[in-house]
Amino acid sequence: MPGPVLVIVMGVSGCGKSTLAASLATEFGFRLLDADDFHPPANKARMARGEPLTDAMREPWIAAMCDALRERQRQGESCVLAYSGLRRAHRQRFRELGYPTLFIHLAGDSEMIRDRMRARVGHFAPASLLDSQLDALEAAMDEPDIVVVDAAQRIDRMHRQAAEKVQGFLADHMRA
């Protein structure tokens, strides 16, 4: 029987990754992890002030997520992680955990995402951070484990499209 898998729903803040990750985790019975839960308070405070994180500030956050995923893997749990995935090197860290991994990149027009960010209530990341996230996002060149889903769709359509990608990924994993 094949072991656990990791699905990472990635994209800039406001693209819908937490919502999509939660619906995929429910459908497939995977453990849901949200990267926002791993930020130290200082990172959240900085972002709430509209100040982007540096790669050095991201490092303990990435390490904490990797530690949590290693523990889930030891317990044989498949996971869905909602995570920005801005840097290629950080995406590689998750691949190196040993899970078969699929990235679902929610991509969309910056104005649409900015409007979503302005409309949401209770999130620490303001719309003013979007430009810095878009600047930090490194394109998925030569990363065949990343599939793109249009973030402009309604959540039910995004879910359906992403679920099809996960089904194909799981079928491939079962054959491996």
Side-chain angles (χ1 to χ4, degrees), residues 76-144:
E77 288 184 281
S78 291
C79 296
V80 177
L81 173 65
Y83 160 67
S84 58
L86 301 177
R87 300 284 195 206
R88 213 175 279 120
H90 296 158
R91 295 189 296 262
Q92 186 59 31
R93 297 264 301 273
F94 292 104
R95 291 181 182 105
E96 291 169 358
L97 293 173
Y99 275 104
T101 303
L102 173 69
F103 291 83
I104 298 172
H105 180 195
L106 293 182
D109 173 77
S110 61
E111 285 312 307
M112 179 269 303
I113 293 171
R114 191 179 320 280
D115 289 345
R116 283 187 187 170
M117 291 178 79
R118 287 181 184 131
R120 65 185 180 181
V121 177
H123 196 278
F124 61 87
S128 62
L129 282 179
L130 181 58
D131 290 336
S132 68
Q133 288 218 326
L134 291 168
D135 289 344
L137 179 61
E138 294 176 341
M141 311 273 272
D142 301 320
E143 294 178 83

Side-chain angles (χ1 to χ4, degrees), residues 50-96:
E51 300 171 21
L53 299 179
T54 65
D55 283 343
M57 292 170 179
R58 289 183 182 111
E59 181 52 39
W61 174 57
I62 302 290
M65 285 185 283
C66 287
D67 289 346
L69 285 164
R70 278 188 205 91
E71 181 57 31
R72 301 277 65 87
Q73 188 177 35
R74 276 194 287 279
Q75 295 180 20
E77 288 184 281
S78 291
C79 296
V80 177
L81 173 65
Y83 160 67
S84 58
L86 301 177
R87 300 284 195 206
R88 213 175 279 120
H90 296 158
R91 295 189 296 262
Q92 186 59 31
R93 297 264 301 273
F94 292 104
R95 291 181 182 105
E96 291 169 358

